[in-house]
Amino acid sequence: MTGEKISLDISLKGNRLISMQGDKEFILNALDDLINENITMGKNGIFLKGDGQDRFAGILEAGADTKKVLNLWKEAVKRKAPLPGARTGTSVERGKLAFVFPGQGSQYIGMLEDLKDVFEEVNEVFVQADEVMKGMIPRQLTEYIFPNEKTDQAFAELSRTEITQPAILAVESALLRAFEKRGIKPDMVAGHSLGEYTALVPAGVLSLSDTVRLVRERGRLMYEAGLKTPGSMMAVIAFDRAPLMEVCAEAGVEISNINAPGPV
């Protein structure tokens, strides 16, 4: 078994547990930890206790049959038998890894709340973002992301453009930092709209602090422009572009984003 590596990709009911890779002993120990509930559970993930690279488990919504399935996997690993979603061999090959960061509209109250309490590096990014934003907004940025009460008013405040944009950037950068500390680094990065700015950080184009300042200013300018020229936007799915352009011309509106061949 010396040198044999196992890549275990666990999914239950459509919820994916990020791949665990290692030798047989590590995989068995990790499965034991899961079976024995030596874990930290939260809405954003399930984590083996400890903060080392080999202790990160990933995202899993545990169901009633979780232990049964994990025990079956454990026995299969012991017997070197095939198991669903797993590849065994002397080496594990992977293709190129790309991270694509979403833009504004993906925000919600309590983003990475559980990870912040588990991983020090996640909290460090939030602390850094708070420091950069000091004096630019009425309260600390994290007070908008993690309000005392999760009310509609709190969500409305988080959704203000000049707050949303640095908040999403901080969240995406914090999650990126957690992955990188555990050896999960992208070969390429990209983003949609605001997410393009997040991608500039791992690409080495801008520092995190400079990017926080940049997107805060971007958000402020967009917010002020919206006050001066109020408007609205709608998404059109599965509609050919040519007739849609004719409809828009008749209605006196314009197409602002073409995100894909279908959605406009």
Side-chain angles (χ1 to χ4, degrees), residues 200-218:
L200 294 175
V201 179
V205 177
L206 292 173
S207 68
L208 174 60
S209 294
D210 285 343
T211 311
V212 170
R213 295 186 186 95
L214 179 61
V215 300
R216 189 272 169 182
E217 184 65 9
R218 178 181 187 262

Side-chain angles (χ1 to χ4, degrees), residues 90-103:
T90 55
S91 65
V92 178
E93 297 181 359
R94 73 169 180 88
K96 297 290 186 179
L97 177 64
F99 285 177
V100 181
F101 300 98

Side-chain angles (χ1 to χ4, degrees), residues 145-187:
I145 303 173
F146 312 114
N148 292 328
E149 297 183 4
K150 298 180 179 181
T151 63
D152 290 342
Q153 176 62 29
F155 179 72
E157 291 181 352
L158 174 64
S159 297
R160 286 170 47 191
T161 305
E162 73 274 24
I163 303 296
T164 304
Q165 296 200 14
I168 291 177
L169 170 67
V171 168
E172 293 175 342
S173 298
L175 185 58
L176 175 69
R177 188 79 59 87
F179 279 126
E180 289 180 338
K181 185 170 182 180
R182 283 148 189 85
I184 306 172
K185 298 181 180 181
D187 299 294

Side-chain angles (χ1 to χ4, degrees), residues 49-172:
K49 290 183 178 177
D51 58 1
Q53 173 182 338
D54 59 350
R55 310 296 289 174
F56 178 61
I59 300 173
L60 172 66
E61 184 66 31
D65 57 350
T66 302
K67 286 189 179 182
K68 177 181 178 181
V69 174
L70 291 174
N71 272 306
L72 290 174
W73 277 328
K74 178 182 175 182
E75 293 304 314
V77 171
K78 284 182 177 179
R79 300 193 311 272
K80 298 172 62 176
L83 41 81
R87 301 183 306 278
T88 60
T90 55
S91 65
V92 178
E93 297 181 359
R94 73 169 180 88
K96 297 290 186 179
L97 177 64
F99 285 177
V100 181
F101 300 98
Q104 189 168 342
S106 56
Q107 73 274 5
Y108 60 90
I109 294 294
M111 295 181 288
L112 296 194
E113 189 169 16
D114 295 319
L115 276 72
K116 175 177 68 71
D117 296 332
V118 174
F119 296 135
E120 181 180 351
E121 64 275 8
V122 170
N123 191 56
E124 287 174 351
V125 171
F126 287 126
V127 171
Q128 183 178 352
D130 274 339
E131 184 63 28
V132 172
M133 294 287 289
K134 187 179 295 184
M136 296 183 183
I137 53 179
R139 305 195 303 272
Q140 287 190 326
L141 182 63
T142 49
E143 292 182 21
Y144 292 96
I145 303 173
F146 312 114
N148 292 328
E149 297 183 4
K150 298 180 179 181
T151 63
D152 290 342
Q153 176 62 29
F155 179 72
E157 291 181 352
L158 174 64
S159 297
R160 286 170 47 191
T161 305
E162 73 274 24
I163 303 296
T164 304
Q165 296 200 14
I168 291 177
L169 170 67
V171 168
E172 293 175 342

Side-chain angles (χ1 to χ4, degrees), residues 29-41 46-50 55 57 67:
N29 287 337
L31 289 172
D32 271 335
D33 281 343
L34 288 168
I35 292 167
N36 296 325
E37 298 183 350
N38 185 29
I39 53 178
T40 299
M41 290 290 294
I46 176 172
F47 310 96
L48 304 180
K49 290 183 178 177
R55 310 296 289 174
K67 286 189 179 182

